[in-house]
């Protein structure tokens, strides 16, 4: 990183223009240029973050008036970033003179991010100062979607919404109330609110995000996410772009690099030469959807070469059950287990995997051996990517975990643990009982194994007349833009008999909020309370997102009652909003709702936000003792430091935790499989003569063989399998110009549909062209910048081509954050990033969008808004995708079969067309692929499967229709 003088050759090459001149006259004379510091000096600077004892009165020079030396005094308040799920630590620097937040830096006391952030963390300052932000509650005037709004008070909004919810609850229309969330960013808060109302009303974005991979992991070991211990690994395999994006991105990225610095090798499977792939020791540019074939080939090599971990396989997989079910003719011996697996996967030779995926057989062999040699120190991750893109994408995560099992790396140091081992679960006051309702608009019978709510199907289920949404909240959630088939969402939002009252809780305008009845401004990272705890490494931590101006006011002796009193305008936060709303739904307590939101210390009175968090923090293991030492309450400690490390990083092999004497009291052991049962519930398993907790599966072990899949009508998937994707090469007709489009990758500087209010981020990334290999471009004679028409199953979009060798031949790709829009009648919002479009729906079911103008400079109180130099806002591609729910996991399978064409005369960049009748037909085609409930015992869903907001067990049984 240190600055290096140009060599003689570089000097000549720069002068004659062979390479760019990076050493222009005077360029290195700037004293503050970081390139003049050595790596050691830079590291030292990070160490020199202001010490906490100086946070209330920190002085430093104002960089804006340099070279003058003018000191500024700041109050530094910690919070956490809200620009992806990782919740890295931030510190807000509040100018003590003006009371304004001036900048955000990392928080070195946050154990997950350790003082570091990606570009999106510091860009929070853009978001809070965005001239287009929504500052006051708004109510629509005129017809929904017409774009007319009036300012209302919080009281008016709360009373109207509460009255409508109260009516629905009193009329037993619980399933007509739903809260639909994009980025939750909090732990446990809504698990407190929604069951307290008695509704099965949670709907999430998870089925367009990660539920495919979750399903694959869950089948194995009852946990739905991996927590790779990258820093301690010897070999890391990523089926994602974790160094630049993905879940727990910055915390993971820094640990992947740490692992690499200690000598770990990194392999990446991705058809795109992502930044991650470019930093890897091995890049496997696989054809999309064939990843499982490659992984099974690796598994076969590990088995054939004897590189597996015998102890782990023998003790921690359900191999006896497998042999009895699948090889009843064979003796139940470990040797027969290995032989049966080799036989089961014999067709998955490296050569077969190469034929499927295009990854060279030699590389597959080499990596398989390296993984086997790494043994327990094999860390891996598959998050959205392949798991979220293919019919049967869940099988990728299942096959990846197979390698983790074979090497015995499950939960080992340097291996891959279940994420729940590294996560804190808050205990809330007055915990409500699970709701006694099951909402089939979220979990329809056709998808009994769906790992999360079938949220992408909601508009189609409404269209089919399966119910309605009387009160619907969209919260940090933008399905019109982010989801596939956004025009069908729009059609349903425009029909008030389908969506009754739509309230958008959002910090910024978005394409869904345009179709709301109330738009209620919610705080950004530094303007709200939340608890965060994520599996970023082998330790466990809890962090506190807090409204920094409110906290500053409290410290300065001027406390406020509600967060909106300290925030800009009347921007509020969800926590206080939900408490307030719950009280107004049940003002006299007669509905049994209010009691959950009463103070734990002052009976009958409303709980305050400090009381809520103090109640939780008092119960964080180890925190009371540490806070006491500093003479602080637990709340004050968290408000001061912003985070607390619960466990340092040795939470390995928790499945081997011995059951205590108390736990063993009154248990019985199942003689067939050693499972330990108490009061009808499985609590552990006998392994090597010891009673241990094991995993939360029916066998309490890793399930190589899944009886659940057999019982729920999918016997062909009883063991880890390769499923050919809906975009497999066999189903594409290349002669007609059909290709697979990879629409899932994320640019490291953008956040789904939430970065349009961050000028720095949009300045860096503002286009989403079609990545195309030169060989493919040559077929149409495309050059970079040429227009291309991408025909999907339900319409088309017109984009520009980017010819690049970074794309696997035969595959094209388009990043998924750009192409934001607003119509002329809409409130101005996100002008850094939005095109102005025209939408035409003059023919029923046929939707056309065209770009009227791109991005241009505008007048505002931010001088940078006049300096905008980019014009192109990209193209909205997701809206042209049909819904493709995997019939088992329920995951939307993002990859698209597209027919590539040269646009015709009169067709322009940004043109979009969609036929929503066709999209409804495709919904029905995919629905027909399901194998609906009931399963055994009349169940809707296996009882041992996780379910978000799990209702009372009685609701799991389908009652016979009379
Ligand atoms: S990875 Fe970046 S966007 Fe995500 S929480 Fe950390 S700093 Fe924020």
């Amino acid at each position: 990183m240190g600055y290096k003088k140009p060599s003689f050759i570089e000097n000549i090459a720069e002068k004659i223009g062979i390479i760019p001149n990076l050493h222009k006259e005077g360029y290195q004379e700037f004293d503050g240029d970081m390139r003049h510091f050595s790596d050691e000096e830079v590291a030292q600077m990070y160490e020199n973050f202001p010490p906490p004892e100086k946070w209330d009165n920190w002085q430093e020079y104002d960089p804006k008036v340099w070279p003058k030396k003018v000191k500024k005094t700041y109050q530094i308040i910690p919070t956490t970033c809200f620009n992806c799920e990782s919740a890295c630590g931030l510190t807000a620097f509040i100018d003590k003179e003006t009371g304004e937040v001036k900048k955000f830096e990392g928080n070195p006391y946050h154990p997950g991010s350790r003082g570091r952030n990606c570009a999106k963390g510091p860009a929070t300052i853009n978001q809070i100062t965005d001239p287009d932000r929504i500052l006051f509650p708004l109510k629509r005037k005129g017809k929904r979607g017409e774009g007319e709004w009036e300012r209302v008070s919080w009281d008016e909004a709360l009373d109207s919404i509460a009255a409508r919810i109260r009516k629905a609850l009193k009329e037993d229309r619980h399933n007509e109330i739903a809260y639909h969330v994009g980025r939750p960013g909090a732990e446990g808060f809504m698990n407190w609110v929604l069951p307290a109302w008695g509704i099965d009303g949670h709907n999430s974005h998870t089925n367009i995000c990660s539920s495919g991979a979750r399903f694959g992991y869950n089948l194995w070991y009852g946990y739905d996410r991996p927590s790779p211990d990258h820093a301690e690994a010897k070999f890391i395999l990523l089926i994602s772009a974790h160094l630049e994006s993905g879940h727990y991105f910055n915390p993971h990225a820094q640990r992947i690099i740490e692992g690499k610095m200690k000598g770990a090798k990194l392999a990446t499977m991705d058809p795109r030469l992502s930044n991650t792939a470019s930093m890897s020791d091995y890049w496997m540019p696989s054809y999309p959807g064939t990843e499982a074939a490659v992984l099974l080939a690796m598994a076969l090599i590990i088995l054939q070469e004897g590189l597996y971990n015998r102890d782990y396989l023998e003790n921690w997989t359900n191999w006896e059950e497998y042999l009895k079910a699948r090889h009843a003719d064979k003796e139940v011996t470990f040797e027969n287990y290995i032989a049966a697996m080799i036989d089961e996967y014999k067709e998955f030779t490296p050569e077969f995997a190469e034929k499927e995926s295009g990854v060279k057989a030699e590389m597959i062999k080499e990596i398989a051996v390296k993984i086997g040699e790494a043994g327990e120190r094999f860390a891996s991750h598959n998050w959205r990517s392949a798991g979220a893109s293919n019919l049967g994408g869940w099988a990728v995560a299942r096959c990846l975990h197979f390698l983790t099992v074979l090497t015995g790396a499950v939960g080992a140091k340097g291996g891959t643990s279940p994420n729940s081992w590294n996560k804190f679960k808050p205990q809330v006051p007055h915990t409500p009982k699970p709701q006694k309702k099951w909402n089939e608009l979220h979990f329809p019978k056709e998808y009994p194994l769906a790992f999360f709510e079938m949220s992408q199907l909601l508009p189609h289920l409404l269209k089919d007349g399966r119910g309605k949404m009387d009160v619907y909240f969209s919260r940090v959630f933008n399905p019109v833009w982010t989801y596939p088939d956004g025009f069908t969402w729009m059609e349903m939002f425009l029909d008030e008999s389908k969506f009754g009252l739509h309230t958008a809780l959002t910090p910024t305008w978005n394409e869904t909020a345009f179709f709301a009845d109330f738009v209620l401004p919610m705080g950004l990272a530094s303007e709200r309370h939340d608890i965060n705890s994520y599996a970023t490494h082998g330790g466990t931590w809890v962090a506190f997102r807090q409204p920094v101006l409110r906290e500053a006011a409290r410290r300065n002796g001027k406390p406020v009652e509600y967060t909106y009193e300290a925030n800009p305008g009347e921007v509020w936060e969800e926590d206080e909003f939900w408490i307030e709303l719950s009280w107004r739904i049940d003002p006299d307590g007669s509905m049994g709702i209010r009691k959950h939101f009463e103070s734990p210390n002052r009976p009958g009175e409303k709980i305050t936000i400090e009381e809520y968090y103090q109640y939780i923090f008092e119960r964080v293991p180890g925190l009371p003792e540490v806070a006491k030492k500093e003479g602080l309450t637990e709340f004050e400690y968290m408000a001061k430091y912003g985070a607390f490390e619960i466990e340092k990083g040795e939470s390995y092999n928790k499945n081997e935790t011995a059951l205590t004497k108390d736990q063993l009291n009154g248990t019985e052991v199942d003689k067939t499989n050693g499972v330990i049962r108490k009061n009808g519930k499985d609590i552990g398993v006998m392994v090597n003569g010891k009673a241990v907790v094991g995993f939360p599966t029916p066998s309490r072990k890793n399930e190589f063989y899944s009886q659940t899949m057999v019982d729920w009508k999918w016997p062909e998937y009883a063991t880890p399998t390769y499923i050919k994707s809906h975009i497999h090469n066999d189903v594409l007709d290349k002669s007609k110009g059909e290709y697979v489009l990879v629409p899932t990758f994320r640019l490291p500087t953008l956040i789904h549909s939430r970065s349009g209010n961050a000028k720095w981020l949009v300045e860096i990334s503002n286009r989403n062209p079609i990545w195309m290999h030169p060989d493919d471009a040559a077929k149409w004679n495309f050059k970079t910048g040429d227009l291309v028409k991408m025909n999907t199953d339900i319409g088309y979009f017109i984009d520009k081509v980017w010819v690049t060798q970074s794309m696997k031949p035969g595959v094209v790709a388009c990043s998924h954050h750009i192409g934001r829009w607003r119509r002329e009648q809409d409130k101005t919002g996100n002008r850094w990033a939005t095109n102005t479009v025209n939408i035409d729906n003059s023919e029923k079911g046929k939707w056309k969008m065209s770009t009227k103008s791109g991005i241009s400079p505008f007048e505002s109180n931010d001088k940078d808004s006049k300096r905008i130099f980019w014009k192109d806002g990209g193209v909205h591609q997701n809206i042209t995708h049909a819904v493709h729910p995997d019939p088992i996991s329920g995951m939307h399978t993002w990859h698209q079969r597209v027919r590539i064409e040269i646009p015709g005369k009169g067709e322009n960049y940004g043109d979009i067309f969609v036929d929503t009748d066709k999209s409804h037909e495709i919904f029905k085609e995919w629905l027909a692929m399901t194998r609906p409930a009931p399963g055994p015992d009349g169940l809707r869903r296996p009882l041992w499967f996780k379910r978000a907001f799990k209702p009372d067990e009685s609701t799991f049984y389908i009652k016979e229709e009379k």
Side-chain angles (χ1 to χ4, degrees):
M1 187 197 273
Y3 171 70
K4 289 189 183 67
K5 282 195 162 179
S7 67
F8 175 72
I9 303 234
E10 274 173 332
N11 258 329
I12 304 259
E14 281 175 352
K15 285 217 166 87
I16 58 175
I18 296 175
I19 59 170
N21 185 353
L22 299 176
H23 304 92
K24 285 180 194 137
E25 215 47 47
Y27 194 51
Q28 67 267 45
E29 282 165 17
F30 174 39
D31 275 338
D33 191 327
M34 292 287 275
R35 291 168 302 166
H36 287 269
F37 297 101
S38 67
D39 289 352
E40 293 69 33
E41 283 167 328
V42 172
Q44 185 60 35
M45 283 175 209
Y46 282 109
E47 292 296 312
N48 287 345
F49 192 83
E53 58 276 13
K54 293 194 179 168
W55 282 10
D56 274 331
N57 207 24
W58 174 250
Q59 288 202 322
E60 63 182 34
Y61 293 119
D62 181 357
K64 284 200 172 156
V65 294
W66 185 88
K68 279 193 207 151
K69 288 189 168 177
V70 178
K71 276 192 175 165
K72 280 253 173 215
T73 312
Y74 297 99
Q75 191 163 22
I76 301 176
I77 311 269
T79 186
T80 62
C81 181
F82 193 32
N83 281 338
C84 83
E85 172 112 353
S86 312
C88 298
L90 288 179
T91 44
F93 283 61
I94 301 169
D95 185 329
K96 288 190 87 164
E97 219 175 284
T98 62
E100 290 168 353
V101 180
K102 286 292 178 193
K103 63 172 176 173
F104 291 92
E105 293 197 3
N107 177 4
Y109 297 92
H110 187 296
S113 55
R114 305 181 292 189
R116 300 168 210 171
N117 297 106
C118 77
K120 293 171 285 188
T124 303
I125 191 69
N126 299 161
Q127 299 174 306
I128 65 171
T129 57
D130 174 31
D132 286 350
R133 67 176 303 186
I134 311 165
L135 290 171
F136 300 96
L138 298 170
K139 184 179 165 188
R140 84 166 147 99
K141 285 201 297 189
K143 283 194 184 151
R144 192 182 284 166
E146 277 185 347
E148 287 287 310
W149 299 91
E150 63 183 349
R151 185 173 156 185
V152 290
S153 67
W154 277 109
D155 274 334
E156 185 184 338
L158 283 162
D159 286 338
S160 316
I161 301 166
R164 192 132 174 179
I165 294 176
R166 185 167 55 244
K167 188 166 186 296
L169 293 178
K170 290 212 159 167
E171 292 170 4
D172 195 21
R173 291 184 287 112
H174 294 64
N175 285 353
E176 293 182 8
I177 307 166
Y179 159 82
H180 207 152
V181 61
R183 167 62 45 233
E187 292 301 305
F189 198 88
M190 294 313 285
N191 302 64
W192 187 45
V193 176
L194 301 178
W197 297 0
I199 64 169
D200 192 25
H202 180 262
N203 205 345
S204 68
H205 74 286
T206 312
N207 263 355
I208 61 144
C209 174
S210 58
S211 61
R214 288 173 190 259
F215 182 83
Y217 285 112
N218 179 68
L219 269 188
W220 264 110
Y221 66 168
Y223 296 105
D224 64 349
R225 303 194 207 181
S227 174
D229 193 15
H230 294 303
E232 302 295 337
K234 287 189 176 161
F235 198 93
I236 301 170
L237 174 58
L238 302 176
I239 308 182
S240 55
H242 254 78
L243 268 177
E244 65 198 89
S245 58
H247 237 55
Y248 311 146
F249 144 50
N250 158 47
H252 272 177
Q254 48 182 274
R255 290 173 172 89
I256 292 171
I257 295 299
E258 245 171 73
K260 267 179 76 75
M261 285 165 74
K262 288 187 207 161
K265 294 287 177 220
L266 172 62
T268 300
M269 212 185 310
D270 193 331
R272 200 173 54 90
L273 182 65
S274 61
N275 294 346
T276 307
S278 69
M279 295 286 286
S280 302
D281 300 284
Y282 300 92
W283 174 35
M284 291 179 276
S286 47
Y287 182 83
T290 61
E291 296 82 357
V294 175
L295 296 168
L296 289 180
M298 290 178 181
L300 182 64
I301 293 164
I302 290 172
L303 284 165
Q304 286 171 330
E305 302 285 324
L307 292 167
Y308 54 84
N309 183 326
R310 177 179 174 133
D311 277 356
Y312 195 81
L313 287 180
E314 199 162 8
N315 292 325
W316 285 107
T317 64
N318 65 339
W319 58 276
E320 289 113 323
E321 190 181 354
Y322 162 65
L323 284 180
K324 284 178 202 160
R326 283 298 171 97
H327 300 278
D329 55 322
K330 294 200 179 100
E331 207 186 328
V332 181
T333 63
F334 184 78
E335 286 65 32
N336 279 341
Y337 173 40
I338 297 293
M341 282 197 286
I342 290 175
D343 188 57
E344 184 145 350
Y345 297 109
K346 62 177 183 286
E347 73 182 88
F348 290 93
T349 59
E351 291 70 28
F352 170 78
E354 175 174 340
K355 192 175 131 281
E356 285 296 286
S357 68
V359 179
K360 294 273 174 261
E362 277 313 307
M363 190 184 273
I364 295 172
K365 280 183 217 162
E366 189 177 331
I367 292 174
V369 170
K370 291 257 185 273
I371 291 172
E373 286 169 357
E376 292 182 354
R377 294 197 158 199
F378 167 58
S380 64
H381 210 312
N382 164 54
W383 199 232
R384 298 173 182 105
S385 62
S389 312
N390 298 292
L391 175 74
W394 55 272
V396 178
R398 195 184 192 194
C399 293
L400 182 61
H401 188 78
F402 189 16
L403 299 181
T404 309
V405 170
L406 286 173
T407 49
V410 186
K413 184 168 184 167
T416 308
S417 293
N419 87 314
S420 311
W421 290 3
N422 304 128
K423 203 165 151 66
F424 163 73
K425 250 190 149 179
Q427 247 178 286
V428 296
H430 308 305
T431 314
K433 290 207 172 91
Q435 68 277 9
K436 291 200 166 151
K437 302 281 175 191
W438 184 289
N439 196 336
E440 290 192 3
L441 286 173
H442 305 324
F443 284 98
K445 286 193 194 83
E446 288 90 341
Y447 297 90
L449 304 178
F451 218 61
F452 266 81
E453 304 90 356
M454 297 301 298
S455 61
Q456 73 273 45
L457 298 190
L458 181 62
H460 289 284
L461 299 174
L462 296 178
K463 207 174 209 182
D464 257 1
R466 294 201 192 189
K468 67 173 280 200
M469 287 284 130
D470 189 47
V471 186
Y472 179 78
F473 295 93
S474 56
R475 188 239 147 178
V476 193
F477 180 60
N478 185 11
V480 168
W481 195 86
T482 316
Y483 270 49
D485 202 8
F487 283 122
T488 297
W489 279 91
M490 225 186 276
E491 279 177 1
M492 291 300 103
F493 278 135
L494 287 169
D495 181 345
E496 289 187 41
S497 72
K498 303 293 185 193
F499 281 99
L501 178 73
H502 173 197
T503 302
L505 305 170
T506 174
T508 178
W509 279 105
N510 65 49
E511 291 79 350
T512 299
F514 298 151
F515 300 94
D517 303 310
F518 283 107
V519 172
L520 305 181
M522 293 295 164
L524 293 152
S526 56
E527 300 167 343
R528 50 183 297 117
H529 291 96
D530 289 309
I531 277 188
N532 318 118
S533 178
Y534 300 117
T536 53
H537 60 290
T540 309
W541 51 264
V542 59
F544 191 30
R545 185 176 292 137
Q546 61 180 339
V548 297
L549 294 176
R550 178 182 178 146
E551 172 57 11
R554 188 185 72 85
R555 287 192 204 175
N556 300 335
K558 294 179 194 150
V560 297
E561 190 178 355
Y562 293 110
T563 297
Y564 60 69
E565 295 168 45
N567 277 346
E570 286 182 10
V571 171
W572 207 1
E573 61 170 336
E574 283 91 339
D575 288 8
E576 285 182 340
F577 171 80
W578 295 118
I579 294 171
E580 200 57 43
L581 187 63
S582 301
W583 267 68
R584 293 182 195 219
I585 293 169
D586 184 18
D588 57 5
S590 59
M591 296 169 78
I593 293 173
R594 208 184 85 171
K595 64 181 184 200
H596 298 289
F597 306 96
E598 288 176 1
S599 161
N601 318 319
R602 299 170 294 114
E605 290 185 54
K606 198 183 297 171
I607 190 169
T608 65
I609 207 77
E610 279 90 356
E611 284 174 328
Y612 173 79
Y613 285 101
Q614 174 63 20
Y615 183 93
I616 293 172
F617 293 146
E618 278 169 14
R619 288 160 178 79
V620 174
L623 177 55
E625 296 76 19
V626 174
K628 202 172 167 195
K629 267 192 206 156
E630 292 210 19
L632 301 171
T633 65
E634 292 78 0
F635 178 88
E636 287 165 344
Y637 182 94
M638 291 301 285
K640 180 174 177 185
Y641 293 101
F644 177 70
E645 189 163 48
I646 298 170
E647 200 175 350
K648 274 227 173 309
E650 288 296 323
S651 37
Y652 303 117
N653 302 318
K654 286 194 176 182
N655 52 310
E656 292 174 14
T657 308
L659 290 172
T660 62
K661 261 193 183 162
D662 265 3
Q663 286 170 319
L664 284 170
N665 220 344
T667 54
E668 54 189 36
V669 178
D670 186 325
K671 286 202 180 75
T672 57
N673 56 10
V675 170
I676 303 167
R677 234 159 254 139
K678 187 169 177 172
N679 305 327
K681 297 255 180 246
D682 299 345
I683 64 159
V685 63
M686 295 302 298
V687 172
N688 272 334
K690 286 190 197 138
V692 293
V693 294
F695 296 98
T697 56
S699 64
R700 305 298 289 187
K701 295 187 175 179
N702 285 280
E703 301 217 329
F704 172 69
Y705 170 78
S706 172
Q707 185 61 36
T708 304
M709 289 303 276
V710 178
D711 292 344
W712 289 80
K713 310 170 196 170
W714 296 96
E716 63 270 48
Y717 302 140
T719 52
T721 332
Y722 166 48
I723 301 171
K724 285 192 177 177
S725 171
H726 64 299
I727 43 80
H728 189 272
N729 252 325
D730 293 352
V731 298
L732 300 184
D733 188 344
K734 285 276 157 79
S735 69
K736 289 187 181 153
E738 285 185 354
Y739 270 67
V740 52
L741 169 69
V742 173
T744 41
F745 73 92
R746 187 169 171 175
L747 298 180
T749 42
L750 295 180
I751 314 144
H752 301 293
S753 72
R754 288 187 294 125
S755 40
N757 57 356
K759 61 184 180 187
W760 296 340
L761 302 179
V762 182
E763 181 183 357
I764 298 168
S765 325
N766 45 60
R767 277 169 295 174
N768 61 340
I770 304 295
W771 293 37
M772 195 181 279
H773 189 273
D775 292 352
D776 295 315
K779 287 180 199 152
W780 285 273
N781 213 9
F782 281 140
K783 297 182 300 303
T784 292
D786 285 351
L787 293 186
V788 57
K789 185 171 181 180
M790 307 291 285
N791 295 284
T792 64
D793 290 346
I794 59 170
Y796 63 79
F797 65 99
I798 297 183
D799 202 343
K800 288 178 185 167
V801 174
W802 182 41
V803 181
T804 171
Q805 298 227 353
S806 297
M807 200 62 230
K808 183 178 176 66
V811 183
V812 290
C814 182
S815 87
H816 77 107
H817 303 86
I818 302 175
R820 303 293 311 284
W821 50 262
R822 63 182 197 276
R823 303 160 305 166
E824 261 180 348
Q825 72 261 40
D826 293 320
K827 282 268 193 195
T828 48
N830 302 313
R831 276 178 288 175
W832 313 99
T834 47
N835 291 320
T836 306
V837 300
N838 184 50
I839 295 179
D840 173 25
N841 180 220
S842 35
E843 193 185 340
K844 195 175 164 290
K846 310 280 180 288
W847 292 83
K848 281 185 187 159
M849 188 189 289
S850 53
T851 307
K852 293 186 81 154
S853 56
I855 294 160
S856 53
F858 59 94
E859 289 282 351
S860 78
N861 54 11
D862 182 340
K863 285 184 193 147
D864 282 345
S865 66
K866 286 197 75 179
R867 299 185 182 121
I868 293 178
F869 58 83
W870 57 97
K871 297 186 175 72
D872 185 350
V875 185
H876 184 187
Q877 58 163 331
N878 293 4
I879 204 162
T880 66
H881 300 179
V883 290
H884 295 154
D886 179 83
I888 300 176
S889 68
M891 175 77 219
H892 173 62
T893 57
W894 276 106
H895 288 344
Q896 299 288 311
R897 175 178 55 184
V898 288
R899 187 167 49 79
I900 293 178
E901 259 187 304
I902 296 174
K905 247 194 172 172
E907 292 189 312
N908 298 309
Y909 179 52
D911 281 1
I912 284 169
F913 170 74
V914 169
D915 179 340
T916 49
D917 294 334
K918 183 90 178 103
S919 73
H920 197 59
E921 275 169 36
I922 291 179
F923 150 72
K924 286 186 173 161
E925 278 170 27
W926 282 68
L927 193 68
M929 290 157 64
T930 60
R931 298 179 191 170
D937 306 324
L939 278 166
R940 293 179 183 278
R941 180 181 183 79
L943 283 169
W944 75 271
F945 262 38
K946 280 185 189 298
R947 212 214 90 168
F949 291 70
K950 198 168 185 173
D952 187 79
E953 210 167 289
S954 60
T955 64
F956 274 66
Y957 297 87
I958 297 177
K959 297 203 179 84
E960 273 185 32
E961 314 252 329
K962 290 202 177 132

